[in-house]
Amino acid sequence: MNRAVNGPSATARGVAISALVAAENGERANLVVPQLLTRSGLDERDKAFATELAYGTLRMCRACDWLVGQFVHSPLEPQVRAAARAGAYQLAFMRVPAYAAVSATVGEAPRRARPLLNAVLRRVATLVEAGPVAWPDLGTRLSYPDWVIRRLGEDIGPERAVAALQQMNQAASPSVRADGYVQDPGSQAVAEYVAALAQGRPGPVLDLCAAPGGKATLVAHSAPFVVGADLAASRANLVTGNAQRLGLDNLAVVVADGTAPPFRPDSFTAVLVDAPCTGLGVLRRRPDARWRVRPEDTDRLASLQRRLLGGAAPLVAPGGALVYSVCTLTRAETVDVDDWLAHELGPGWGEVVAPPGPPWEPLGRGALLLPQTAGTDGMYLLALRRSH
Ligand SMILES: C[S@@+](CC[C@H](N)C(=O)[O-])C[C@H]1O[C@@H](n2cnc3c(N)ncnc32)[C@H](O)[C@@H]1O
């Protein structure tokens, strides 16, 4: 742990560099950054700077590595590599003046590495100041793995993919609901859509993958009764905690495997399957996720999504609706899952419920919300009604 993150000598750059080292060691940035900030003693302004520096450097890591790699050709030890990346990020993407960025960042590196780091960052500063950087390729410029760019380009079209990926390089501004819960407007739209489907109908609503409870709690504000299930007990506890905090006594929480749910058939007026997914529509919220998700995750998760829908469909009462949503944009997890549903569900499932209108756009029988259209998270939604 960097000496500078504890106590009165903590600096914003020291905190950010420690977070980068921890993330390299496999820790989740979304967890480690708040922990480091809490014990840093930094004021709010410095905390905001440290957060932007840590998350931004993680997002733009490939671009930063390329900038640094122009001037240093041997591997750097983790602490020095993190400082070099953070320095490059300040120079290229935060537009911090070189006189401030270089010396303050170098001061956070181990003493023996400072001359090298100083020389490298000065040269990065010169390169950045010389005008538009001649990035070697799109993947480096946008700072995503090549497979993500390729996959989304194939699945939603190259121009839309690039616009989505660019938008997800910007930090999300917090969006707070009327009840104080922080939730992206796209997710709120999904919950409101489910709530509207259940409006005026008898019978409870089930959120089969409910944790941490964002959608279930919003639905519970208008539906008479909601059940929130989740596979992980620790995550189900998050739903309970959120329901208590919001004073919702009509939201029951169950630990259950949604692929084999412990509920009677035909018992819910609406079942939401807000399934685990690759999360390629919410990368702005999870700065390190783009480096963790693997191409093979798409098929593995699509298989889980199908099994969850297979578990959910029999629980819908006649006249009720099955709603599928994911916060990703891949074909395998959206329209391909719907193709499977069209084939798999019986004749009682012919009716498609009209998806939400703009900013959502029609995609197959469902709808897609692109991150760039309204500055929300990216997601997909599909609803089918069971007639009998
Ligand atoms: C996208 S998140 C749900 C977000 C939630 N609906 C909300 O709005 O706050 C997916 C959830 O599915 C859960 N999950 C994963 N596998 C599951 C399974 N087999 N059965 C039920 N839940 C599962 C995960 O623990 C995770 O909490």
Side-chain angles (χ1 to χ4, degrees):
M1 181 65 58
N2 184 341
R3 162 194 59 78
V5 298
N6 286 309
S9 61
T11 68
R13 289 178 177 84
V15 167
I17 291 166
S18 290
L20 296 177
V21 172
E24 280 261 283
N25 289 335
E27 291 186 53
R28 299 281 162 122
N30 285 354
L31 300 178
V32 84
V33 169
Q35 283 166 5
L36 288 171
L37 287 177
T38 303
R39 59 172 183 258
S40 70
L42 291 175
D43 64 24
E44 290 309 311
R45 203 163 137 255
D46 278 348
K47 281 183 178 170
F49 182 88
T51 304
E52 144 101 70
L53 182 54
Y55 289 167
T57 306
L58 282 168
R59 280 191 204 96
M60 301 312 291
C61 187
R62 183 171 175 189
C64 292
D65 278 355
W66 183 82
L67 289 170
V68 171
Q70 299 307 293
F71 308 111
V72 59
H73 306 292
S74 48
L76 299 171
E77 60 178 290
Q79 180 85 23
V80 182
R81 186 166 60 237
R85 286 173 172 165
Y89 181 76
Q90 292 166 72
L91 294 165
F93 300 107
M94 287 176 92
R95 296 282 163 189
V96 176
Y99 66 82
V102 176
S103 59
T105 305
V106 167
E108 297 298 334
R111 198 168 289 278
R112 64 185 176 285
R114 288 181 190 171
L116 169 72
L117 189 59
N118 186 57
V120 169
L121 290 182
R122 289 212 173 280
R123 296 181 73 180
V124 170
T126 307
L127 189 155
V128 167
E129 281 160 13
V133 175
W135 301 104
D137 51 50
L138 189 63
T140 307
R141 175 166 73 83
L142 297 180
S143 192
Y144 285 92
D146 289 329
W147 79 267
V148 170
I149 296 183
R150 216 171 26 244
R151 176 70 65 97
L152 290 188
E154 287 164 8
D155 289 0
I156 62 171
E159 276 178 25
R160 298 192 325 153
V162 167
L165 293 168
Q166 266 169 337
Q167 198 268 350
M168 289 188 287
N169 277 340
Q170 310 300 320
S173 43
S175 170
V176 184
R177 292 190 329 213
D179 62 3
Y181 192 98
V182 177
Q183 186 180 40
D184 178 75
S187 296
Q188 290 183 43
V190 172
E192 282 159 5
Y193 181 83
V194 173
L197 285 177
Q199 194 86 48
R201 300 180 63 88
V205 175
L206 172 64
D207 181 346
L208 194 61
C209 303
K215 298 187 185 71
T217 53
L218 189 50
V219 174
H221 280 304
S222 59
F225 195 73
V226 177
V227 177
D230 205 277
L231 179 65
S234 59
R235 293 188 53 78
N237 283 339
L238 299 175
V239 188
T240 309
N242 280 320
Q244 280 168 355
R245 192 168 53 79
L246 299 175
L248 293 164
D249 55 11
N250 61 335
L251 172 52
V253 180
V254 178
V255 178
D257 182 351
T259 65
F263 305 110
R264 264 206 298 273
D266 305 349
S267 34
F268 294 94
T269 197
V271 177
L272 170 64
V273 178
D274 186 34
C277 67
T278 50
L280 295 184
V282 292
L283 293 173
R284 61 184 185 150
R285 289 187 193 283
R286 303 176 193 161
D288 41 359
R290 69 187 67 183
W291 311 116
R292 275 203 310 269
V293 58
R294 301 271 164 243
E296 57 273 21
D297 292 340
T298 324
D299 288 343
R300 180 180 57 77
L301 287 159
S303 155
L304 175 59
Q305 290 151 7
R306 291 194 290 263
R307 282 183 289 129
L308 286 163
L309 285 163
L315 307 178
V316 178
L322 175 65
V323 183
Y324 173 64
S325 64
V326 278
C327 56
T328 195
L329 309 171
T330 67
R331 202 182 159 79
E333 298 170 273
T334 58
V335 281
D336 287 357
V337 170
D338 183 28
D339 285 348
W340 178 86
L341 272 175
H343 183 258
E344 201 66 20
L345 295 180
W349 285 96
E351 191 190 333
V352 180
V353 185
W360 296 77
E361 52 185 80
L363 180 66
R365 299 193 294 174
L368 191 68
L369 180 61
L370 287 170
Q372 64 268 36
T373 309
T376 63
D377 289 345
M379 49 194 71
Y380 169 81
L381 176 67
L382 167 75
L384 303 173
R385 190 172 300 284
R386 180 178 171 194
S387 57
H388 55 272

